[in-house]
Structures are given as structure tokens and as C-alpha cells.
Amino acid sequence: MTRPPAAAGSGARRTTCPRCGYPVLRQLVGRRAALDVTADDTRYTAAAAEGLRRPNRLDWCLRITKHGPDLRWADCHHHAATCPHEHVVDHECTALAAPVPARTRARRTPPAPAGQLTL
């Protein structure tokens, strides 16, 4: 079984983090239940990226195709630590979280007059 060819525009796109402004790569990785990946645009070797991996911070194999950069899973058991491609790691935003606006509750009028039961 062969892998279907990548469609144009299906690879990673370079952008900046909306909160901290750091350059990142964004891509949906996977064919069925795709994972929305936001990774730092800093390149590492496979061994260095594996050292930065944590339970909630994955590393990704970065392949350069004719359509541009393409992120692929790198934590599989068959991915060699000596992979010749560059690797990137998930972005950890260091910007302060935006303040949550205070919610105001609108008063509702009761559905029935006081003392009357509603069904």
C-alpha cells in the first residue's frame, strides 16, 4: 500500500504565534483524525529534538517537499534517532494569558407568575 501524494497546500505554513509573535509552523498532521500542530520554527537534529520531548510536547520530523515544509510524526517506534531530516518541537507560548472579560448576566423574567408551578 502506498501513501497518497500530498496535495498542494497541505503542508505546514509559516506564521507567527498570535499571543507572543514567535515564528511557528502550523499544519494538520494525520489523514483521518488529524492533529492541529503548532511547532516552533527552530530546527533541531533528531536526537536533540527527542531530548526536548515531554508528554505534552512532541517533536516532529520536518521534510521539505516541492510544496514546502511538511510535518510528520517522529515519536513512532520505527523512527530512527539518526533521522537525516530536521526536527521541530511543539510551541510553548510564553506570553501572559489574555484577561478573561467579566461576564454580566442578563436577568430573565420567570416563565410563570410567582407561586405558580411550571411543567
Side-chain angles (χ1 to χ4, degrees):
M1 185 170 175
T2 61
R3 181 180 179 149
S10 65
R13 63 187 189 282
R14 288 186 172 93
T15 184
T16 57
C17 175
R19 289 176 57 196
C20 67
Y22 196 80
V24 294
L25 296 169
R26 297 227 29 209
Q27 178 182 336
L28 285 174
V29 177
R31 286 188 231 150
R32 291 194 180 131
L35 182 64
D36 186 12
V37 175
T38 302
D40 290 336
D41 198 7
T42 306
R43 315 294 171 84
Y44 300 98
T45 63
E50 187 176 352
L52 295 172
R53 184 187 313 156
R54 293 193 302 273
N56 291 322
R57 190 175 195 202
L58 302 175
D59 63 309
W60 303 94
C61 185
L62 179 64
R63 311 269 176 109
I64 304 300
T65 66
K66 65 180 179 181
H67 301 293
D70 185 38
L71 298 176
R72 303 204 182 154
W73 291 96
D75 61 342
C76 300
H77 64 281
H78 62 275
H79 196 85
T82 58
C83 176
H85 301 102
E86 295 177 317
H87 284 238
V88 293
V89 294
D90 282 336
H91 176 63
E92 285 185 329
C93 191
T94 56
L96 297 174
V100 178
R103 290 187 176 180
T104 58
R105 285 194 162 182
R107 292 188 173 256
R108 279 204 242 163
T109 57
Q116 181 179 356
L117 296 176
T118 58
L119 301 175

